[in-house]
Amino acid sequence: MRVVIQNDYDKMCKWAAEYIKNRIIAHNSGEQAVRPFVLGLPTGSSPIGVYQQLVRMNRAGELSFANVVTFNMDEYLGLPHEHDQSYWYFMHDNFFDHLVDMKPEHINILNGMTEDPEAECRAYEEKIASYGGIDLFMGGIGVDGHIAFNEPFTSLASRTGVRNLTTDTRIVNSRFFGNDPEKVPSQALSVGVGTVFDSKEVLILINGHNKARALAATVEGGVSQKWTCSALQYHNGAIIACDEAACGELTVDTYKYFLDIEKRERL
Ligand code: GLP
């Protein structure tokens, strides 16, 4: 696992956006460009700066999304697209609507209004597989280490399915719902830990003091279903991009190791 420590949130976002850009450009210039680049995407406050950077690159003509297919991680169950807290709305508002060449038919987001959640999730997995899997999954992390909506104790082999949200997550996310946890949907559709794990590369953004415990558990703790993100310790292409503030619970050894080793790594 790589851990790329940047001074602050802005630098973390710039680094992550540059990494994604380079991956897309490398894909499109190789023989594999006959198939689209498949990009997994998250919502939340963590990726907003990355989306701003990617939009800037796209509008400056530095990065095309014409050959990119996206799959979002999750969606609240019961929220229609037009609800301003649905992840469909978030993604269009913060990202897709600002890109000059994103094809709407290349955007995949789980439908939170589906009448048959099981079938919706099965079809999502099948669609990912039909593209040959996800090339790069960008993700965020909850304060309890959840990845997508895979709360603590979700199986590390889980696939796309319905998830019950913990009270903790509903309290944390209530900041977007008038600070009322009861207004936060109690269930969501989410890709599984196994779905993320099957991606060729996984890039997780971890920033801010409130994520320090989660970062330490992900990087230094044992692999455990209690911290679902820790499953990435077994992934051969996992990168954590973080800021200094999130490093507060790492041991000095770990912190120094990654700063040292990354000096020799390239994007
Ligand atoms: C939600 C999402 C996660 C996201 C997490 C952290 O629970 N389902 O995918 O990683 O929030 O969000 P934030 O980046 O706002 O801290």
Short mmCIF file of all heavy atoms in Angstrom, two decimals, residues 86-127:
data_model
loop_
_atom_site.label_atom_id
_atom_site.label_comp_id
_atom_site.label_asym_id
_atom_site.label_seq_id
_atom_site.Cartn_x
_atom_site.Cartn_y
_atom_site.Cartn_z
N SER A 86 -29.41 13.63 -2.74
CA SER A 86 -29.15 12.33 -3.39
C SER A 86 -27.75 12.40 -3.97
O SER A 86 -27.23 13.48 -4.30
CB SER A 86 -30.17 12.06 -4.49
OG SER A 86 -29.87 12.81 -5.65
N TYR A 87 -27.12 11.25 -4.08
CA TYR A 87 -25.77 11.24 -4.62
C TYR A 87 -25.80 11.49 -6.13
O TYR A 87 -24.83 11.96 -6.72
CB TYR A 87 -25.07 9.93 -4.25
CG TYR A 87 -24.67 9.89 -2.76
CD1 TYR A 87 -24.20 8.72 -2.17
CD2 TYR A 87 -24.76 11.03 -1.96
CE1 TYR A 87 -23.82 8.70 -0.83
CE2 TYR A 87 -24.38 11.02 -0.63
CZ TYR A 87 -23.92 9.85 -0.07
OH TYR A 87 -23.55 9.82 1.26
N TRP A 88 -26.91 11.17 -6.78
CA TRP A 88 -27.09 11.50 -8.20
C TRP A 88 -26.99 13.01 -8.36
O TRP A 88 -26.26 13.50 -9.22
CB TRP A 88 -28.47 11.00 -8.67
CG TRP A 88 -28.66 11.05 -10.16
CD1 TRP A 88 -28.53 10.01 -11.04
CD2 TRP A 88 -29.04 12.19 -10.96
NE1 TRP A 88 -28.78 10.43 -12.32
CE2 TRP A 88 -29.10 11.76 -12.30
CE3 TRP A 88 -29.33 13.53 -10.67
CZ2 TRP A 88 -29.44 12.61 -13.35
CZ3 TRP A 88 -29.66 14.38 -11.72
CH2 TRP A 88 -29.72 13.92 -13.04
N TYR A 89 -27.69 13.75 -7.52
CA TYR A 89 -27.71 15.21 -7.58
C TYR A 89 -26.30 15.75 -7.28
O TYR A 89 -25.78 16.61 -7.99
CB TYR A 89 -28.71 15.75 -6.56
CG TYR A 89 -28.95 17.24 -6.66
CD1 TYR A 89 -30.06 17.75 -7.33
CD2 TYR A 89 -28.07 18.16 -6.07
CE1 TYR A 89 -30.29 19.12 -7.42
CE2 TYR A 89 -28.28 19.52 -6.15
CZ TYR A 89 -29.39 20.00 -6.82
OH TYR A 89 -29.60 21.35 -6.91
N PHE A 90 -25.71 15.22 -6.24
CA PHE A 90 -24.36 15.65 -5.85
C PHE A 90 -23.38 15.51 -7.01
O PHE A 90 -22.61 16.43 -7.32
CB PHE A 90 -23.87 14.81 -4.65
CG PHE A 90 -22.44 15.09 -4.26
CD1 PHE A 90 -22.14 15.94 -3.19
CD2 PHE A 90 -21.37 14.49 -4.95
CE1 PHE A 90 -20.81 16.20 -2.84
CE2 PHE A 90 -20.05 14.76 -4.60
CZ PHE A 90 -19.77 15.61 -3.54
N MET A 91 -23.41 14.35 -7.66
CA MET A 91 -22.43 14.09 -8.72
C MET A 91 -22.62 15.01 -9.92
O MET A 91 -21.66 15.46 -10.53
CB MET A 91 -22.50 12.63 -9.18
CG MET A 91 -21.95 11.65 -8.18
SD MET A 91 -20.25 11.99 -7.64
CE MET A 91 -19.33 11.93 -9.19
N HIS A 92 -23.88 15.28 -10.27
CA HIS A 92 -24.12 16.17 -11.39
C HIS A 92 -23.77 17.61 -11.03
O HIS A 92 -23.17 18.33 -11.80
CB HIS A 92 -25.58 16.03 -11.87
CG HIS A 92 -25.79 14.73 -12.62
ND1 HIS A 92 -25.93 13.53 -11.98
CD2 HIS A 92 -25.82 14.46 -13.94
CE1 HIS A 92 -26.06 12.56 -12.88
NE2 HIS A 92 -26.01 13.10 -14.07
N ASP A 93 -24.15 18.00 -9.81
CA ASP A 93 -23.93 19.37 -9.36
C ASP A 93 -22.44 19.68 -9.20
O ASP A 93 -21.97 20.77 -9.53
CB ASP A 93 -24.66 19.52 -8.01
CG ASP A 93 -24.82 20.97 -7.62
OD1 ASP A 93 -24.98 21.80 -8.51
OD2 ASP A 93 -24.75 21.26 -6.41
N ASN A 94 -21.68 18.71 -8.68
CA ASN A 94 -20.27 18.96 -8.37
C ASN A 94 -19.31 18.54 -9.47
O ASN A 94 -18.14 18.93 -9.45
CB ASN A 94 -19.86 18.24 -7.09
CG ASN A 94 -20.41 18.91 -5.86
OD1 ASN A 94 -19.97 20.00 -5.49
ND2 ASN A 94 -21.41 18.30 -5.24
N PHE A 95 -19.80 17.72 -10.41
CA PHE A 95 -18.83 17.18 -11.37
C PHE A 95 -19.38 17.08 -12.79
O PHE A 95 -18.99 17.85 -13.66
CB PHE A 95 -18.36 15.81 -10.86
CG PHE A 95 -17.20 15.23 -11.60
CD1 PHE A 95 -16.11 16.02 -11.94
CD2 PHE A 95 -17.17 13.89 -11.95
CE1 PHE A 95 -15.02 15.49 -12.64
CE2 PHE A 95 -16.09 13.35 -12.63
CZ PHE A 95 -15.02 14.14 -12.98
N PHE A 96 -20.30 16.14 -13.02
CA PHE A 96 -20.66 15.81 -14.40
C PHE A 96 -21.16 17.02 -15.20
O PHE A 96 -20.82 17.17 -16.37
CB PHE A 96 -21.71 14.70 -14.43
CG PHE A 96 -21.23 13.39 -13.86
CD1 PHE A 96 -22.01 12.67 -12.94
CD2 PHE A 96 -19.99 12.86 -14.21
CE1 PHE A 96 -21.57 11.47 -12.41
CE2 PHE A 96 -19.54 11.65 -13.68
CZ PHE A 96 -20.33 10.96 -12.78
N ASP A 97 -21.97 17.88 -14.58
CA ASP A 97 -22.54 19.01 -15.32
C ASP A 97 -21.49 20.01 -15.78
O ASP A 97 -21.76 20.85 -16.64
CB ASP A 97 -23.57 19.76 -14.45
CG ASP A 97 -24.86 18.97 -14.30
OD1 ASP A 97 -24.99 17.92 -14.97
OD2 ASP A 97 -25.72 19.38 -13.50
N HIS A 98 -20.28 19.94 -15.21
CA HIS A 98 -19.24 20.92 -15.55
C HIS A 98 -18.25 20.40 -16.58
O HIS A 98 -17.39 21.14 -17.04
CB HIS A 98 -18.49 21.32 -14.28
CG HIS A 98 -19.40 21.80 -13.20
ND1 HIS A 98 -19.96 23.06 -13.21
CD2 HIS A 98 -19.91 21.18 -12.10
CE1 HIS A 98 -20.75 23.19 -12.16
NE2 HIS A 98 -20.74 22.06 -11.47
N LEU A 99 -18.36 19.12 -16.92
CA LEU A 99 -17.43 18.54 -17.89
C LEU A 99 -17.94 18.81 -19.30
O LEU A 99 -19.14 18.76 -19.54
CB LEU A 99 -17.31 17.02 -17.66
CG LEU A 99 -16.74 16.60 -16.30
CD1 LEU A 99 -16.83 15.08 -16.15
CD2 LEU A 99 -15.29 17.05 -16.14
N VAL A 100 -17.02 19.09 -20.21
CA VAL A 100 -17.46 19.45 -21.56
C VAL A 100 -17.75 18.22 -22.44
O VAL A 100 -18.47 18.34 -23.42
CB VAL A 100 -16.44 20.37 -22.28
CG1 VAL A 100 -16.31 21.71 -21.57
CG2 VAL A 100 -15.07 19.72 -22.43
N ASP A 101 -17.16 17.06 -22.09
CA ASP A 101 -17.34 15.93 -23.01
C ASP A 101 -17.69 14.62 -22.31
O ASP A 101 -17.39 13.54 -22.81
CB ASP A 101 -16.09 15.75 -23.89
CG ASP A 101 -14.82 15.52 -23.07
OD1 ASP A 101 -14.91 15.56 -21.83
OD2 ASP A 101 -13.76 15.31 -23.67
N MET A 102 -18.33 14.73 -21.13
CA MET A 102 -18.78 13.51 -20.45
C MET A 102 -20.08 13.05 -21.12
O MET A 102 -21.01 13.83 -21.28
CB MET A 102 -19.05 13.81 -18.97
CG MET A 102 -19.41 12.60 -18.15
SD MET A 102 -17.97 11.55 -17.84
CE MET A 102 -18.75 9.94 -17.66
N LYS A 103 -20.12 11.78 -21.50
CA LYS A 103 -21.34 11.28 -22.15
C LYS A 103 -22.32 10.78 -21.09
O LYS A 103 -21.95 9.90 -20.29
CB LYS A 103 -20.99 10.15 -23.12
CG LYS A 103 -20.08 10.60 -24.25
CD LYS A 103 -19.72 9.44 -25.15
CE LYS A 103 -18.81 9.92 -26.26
NZ LYS A 103 -17.92 8.88 -26.76
N PRO A 104 -23.54 11.31 -21.07
CA PRO A 104 -24.50 10.89 -20.03
C PRO A 104 -24.67 9.37 -19.97
O PRO A 104 -24.83 8.81 -18.88
CB PRO A 104 -25.80 11.57 -20.46
CG PRO A 104 -25.39 12.70 -21.33
CD PRO A 104 -24.09 12.31 -21.99
N GLU A 105 -24.58 8.72 -21.12
CA GLU A 105 -24.76 7.25 -21.13
C GLU A 105 -23.56 6.52 -20.52
O GLU A 105 -23.61 5.31 -20.31
CB GLU A 105 -25.07 6.74 -22.55
CG GLU A 105 -23.95 6.91 -23.58
CD GLU A 105 -23.96 8.27 -24.29
OE1 GLU A 105 -24.52 9.24 -23.73
OE2 GLU A 105 -23.39 8.36 -25.39
N HIS A 106 -22.51 7.25 -20.22
CA HIS A 106 -21.34 6.64 -19.58
C HIS A 106 -21.38 6.78 -18.04
O HIS A 106 -20.47 6.33 -17.36
CB HIS A 106 -20.05 7.30 -20.08
CG HIS A 106 -19.61 6.80 -21.43
ND1 HIS A 106 -18.47 7.22 -22.06
CD2 HIS A 106 -20.18 5.88 -22.26
CE1 HIS A 106 -18.34 6.59 -23.22
NE2 HIS A 106 -19.38 5.79 -23.37
N ILE A 107 -22.42 7.44 -17.54
CA ILE A 107 -22.52 7.67 -16.09
C ILE A 107 -23.39 6.58 -15.47
O ILE A 107 -24.54 6.37 -15.90
CB ILE A 107 -23.17 9.05 -15.82
CG1 ILE A 107 -22.29 10.18 -16.39
CG2 ILE A 107 -23.40 9.25 -14.32
CD1 ILE A 107 -22.96 11.55 -16.39
N ASN A 108 -22.87 5.91 -14.47
CA ASN A 108 -23.64 4.87 -13.77
C ASN A 108 -23.73 5.20 -12.28
O ASN A 108 -22.71 5.36 -11.62
CB ASN A 108 -22.97 3.51 -13.95
CG ASN A 108 -22.95 3.06 -15.40
OD1 ASN A 108 -23.97 2.61 -15.91
ND2 ASN A 108 -21.81 3.22 -16.07
N ILE A 109 -24.97 5.32 -11.82
CA ILE A 109 -25.22 5.57 -10.39
C ILE A 109 -26.38 4.67 -9.98
O ILE A 109 -27.40 4.59 -10.69
CB ILE A 109 -25.60 7.06 -10.15
CG1 ILE A 109 -24.48 7.99 -10.66
CG2 ILE A 109 -25.86 7.31 -8.66
CD1 ILE A 109 -24.77 9.48 -10.54
N LEU A 110 -26.22 3.99 -8.86
CA LEU A 110 -27.29 3.11 -8.38
C LEU A 110 -28.57 3.93 -8.20
O LEU A 110 -28.54 5.07 -7.74
CB LEU A 110 -26.87 2.46 -7.05
CG LEU A 110 -25.82 1.35 -7.19
CD1 LEU A 110 -25.01 1.21 -5.90
CD2 LEU A 110 -26.48 0.03 -7.56
N ASN A 111 -29.69 3.32 -8.58
CA ASN A 111 -30.97 4.02 -8.51
C ASN A 111 -31.63 3.82 -7.14
O ASN A 111 -32.14 2.74 -6.85
CB ASN A 111 -31.89 3.50 -9.63
CG ASN A 111 -33.27 4.11 -9.57
OD1 ASN A 111 -33.50 5.09 -8.84
ND2 ASN A 111 -34.20 3.54 -10.33
N GLY A 112 -31.61 4.88 -6.34
CA GLY A 112 -32.15 4.79 -4.98
C GLY A 112 -33.67 4.65 -4.94
O GLY A 112 -34.23 4.37 -3.89
N MET A 113 -34.33 4.83 -6.08
CA MET A 113 -35.79 4.71 -6.12
C MET A 113 -36.24 3.38 -6.73
O MET A 113 -37.42 3.20 -7.03
CB MET A 113 -36.39 5.87 -6.93
CG MET A 113 -36.18 7.24 -6.29
SD MET A 113 -36.85 7.34 -4.62
CE MET A 113 -38.60 7.49 -5.02
N THR A 114 -35.31 2.49 -6.92
CA THR A 114 -35.66 1.22 -7.54
C THR A 114 -36.71 0.47 -6.72
O THR A 114 -36.73 0.54 -5.49
CB THR A 114 -34.41 0.31 -7.69
OG1 THR A 114 -34.81 -0.93 -8.23
CG2 THR A 114 -33.73 0.07 -6.35
N GLU A 115 -37.58 -0.26 -7.43
CA GLU A 115 -38.57 -1.08 -6.70
C GLU A 115 -38.01 -2.44 -6.37
O GLU A 115 -38.60 -3.19 -5.60
CB GLU A 115 -39.85 -1.19 -7.54
CG GLU A 115 -40.57 0.13 -7.52
CD GLU A 115 -41.86 0.13 -8.32
OE1 GLU A 115 -42.25 -0.93 -8.85
OE2 GLU A 115 -42.44 1.22 -8.40
N ASP A 116 -36.88 -2.76 -6.98
CA ASP A 116 -36.27 -4.07 -6.74
C ASP A 116 -34.77 -3.89 -6.47
O ASP A 116 -33.94 -4.05 -7.38
CB ASP A 116 -36.51 -4.97 -7.96
CG ASP A 116 -36.09 -6.40 -7.70
OD1 ASP A 116 -35.38 -6.65 -6.69
OD2 ASP A 116 -36.45 -7.28 -8.51
N PRO A 117 -34.43 -3.52 -5.23
CA PRO A 117 -33.02 -3.23 -4.92
C PRO A 117 -32.07 -4.38 -5.24
O PRO A 117 -30.97 -4.16 -5.73
CB PRO A 117 -33.05 -2.96 -3.41
CG PRO A 117 -34.44 -2.55 -3.11
CD PRO A 117 -35.30 -3.29 -4.08
N GLU A 118 -32.52 -5.61 -4.98
CA GLU A 118 -31.64 -6.76 -5.25
C GLU A 118 -31.27 -6.83 -6.72
O GLU A 118 -30.10 -7.01 -7.08
CB GLU A 118 -32.35 -8.08 -4.87
CG GLU A 118 -32.89 -8.10 -3.45
CD GLU A 118 -31.83 -8.53 -2.46
OE1 GLU A 118 -31.17 -9.52 -2.76
OE2 GLU A 118 -31.68 -7.86 -1.43
N ALA A 119 -32.30 -6.67 -7.59
CA ALA A 119 -32.06 -6.73 -9.03
C ALA A 119 -31.19 -5.56 -9.48
O ALA A 119 -30.30 -5.71 -10.32
CB ALA A 119 -33.39 -6.73 -9.79
N GLU A 120 -31.44 -4.40 -8.90
CA GLU A 120 -30.66 -3.20 -9.24
C GLU A 120 -29.16 -3.45 -8.94
O GLU A 120 -28.29 -3.12 -9.74
CB GLU A 120 -31.19 -2.01 -8.40
CG GLU A 120 -30.38 -0.74 -8.45
CD GLU A 120 -30.53 0.02 -9.76
OE1 GLU A 120 -31.45 -0.28 -10.55
OE2 GLU A 120 -29.69 0.91 -10.01
N CYS A 121 -28.90 -4.03 -7.78
CA CYS A 121 -27.50 -4.26 -7.37
C CYS A 121 -26.84 -5.35 -8.20
O CYS A 121 -25.67 -5.23 -8.56
CB CYS A 121 -27.45 -4.62 -5.89
SG CYS A 121 -27.99 -3.24 -4.86
N ARG A 122 -27.62 -6.38 -8.52
CA ARG A 122 -27.08 -7.45 -9.37
C ARG A 122 -26.71 -6.90 -10.74
O ARG A 122 -25.64 -7.17 -11.28
CB ARG A 122 -28.13 -8.57 -9.50
CG ARG A 122 -27.55 -9.96 -9.44
CD ARG A 122 -28.56 -11.07 -9.39
NE ARG A 122 -29.89 -10.76 -9.85
CZ ARG A 122 -30.96 -10.69 -9.06
NH1 ARG A 122 -30.85 -10.92 -7.77
NH2 ARG A 122 -32.16 -10.43 -9.57
N ALA A 123 -27.62 -6.09 -11.29
CA ALA A 123 -27.38 -5.52 -12.63
C ALA A 123 -26.16 -4.59 -12.61
O ALA A 123 -25.41 -4.52 -13.59
CB ALA A 123 -28.61 -4.75 -13.09
N TYR A 124 -25.95 -3.91 -11.49
CA TYR A 124 -24.80 -2.99 -11.37
C TYR A 124 -23.49 -3.78 -11.45
O TYR A 124 -22.57 -3.42 -12.18
CB TYR A 124 -24.90 -2.25 -10.04
CG TYR A 124 -24.25 -0.88 -10.01
CD1 TYR A 124 -24.73 0.16 -10.80
CD2 TYR A 124 -23.18 -0.62 -9.15
CE1 TYR A 124 -24.14 1.43 -10.74
CE2 TYR A 124 -22.61 0.64 -9.08
CZ TYR A 124 -23.09 1.67 -9.87
OH TYR A 124 -22.53 2.92 -9.81
N GLU A 125 -23.45 -4.87 -10.69
CA GLU A 125 -22.24 -5.73 -10.72
C GLU A 125 -22.03 -6.27 -12.14
O GLU A 125 -20.89 -6.34 -12.62
CB GLU A 125 -22.40 -6.91 -9.74
CG GLU A 125 -22.29 -6.52 -8.29
CD GLU A 125 -20.85 -6.50 -7.76
OE1 GLU A 125 -19.95 -7.03 -8.43
OE2 GLU A 125 -20.64 -5.91 -6.68
N GLU A 126 -23.13 -6.68 -12.79
CA GLU A 126 -23.00 -7.25 -14.13
C GLU A 126 -22.50 -6.19 -15.12
O GLU A 126 -21.70 -6.48 -16.00
CB GLU A 126 -24.35 -7.82 -14.60
CG GLU A 126 -24.64 -9.16 -13.93
CD GLU A 126 -26.11 -9.59 -14.06
OE1 GLU A 126 -26.88 -8.94 -14.80
OE2 GLU A 126 -26.46 -10.57 -13.38
N LYS A 127 -22.97 -4.97 -14.93
CA LYS A 127 -22.55 -3.90 -15.85
C LYS A 127 -21.06 -3.58 -15.66
O LYS A 127 -20.33 -3.38 -16.62
CB LYS A 127 -23.41 -2.65 -15.64
CG LYS A 127 -23.31 -1.70 -16.79
CD LYS A 127 -24.48 -0.75 -16.88
CE LYS A 127 -24.33 0.13 -18.13
NZ LYS A 127 -25.21 1.29 -18.09
#
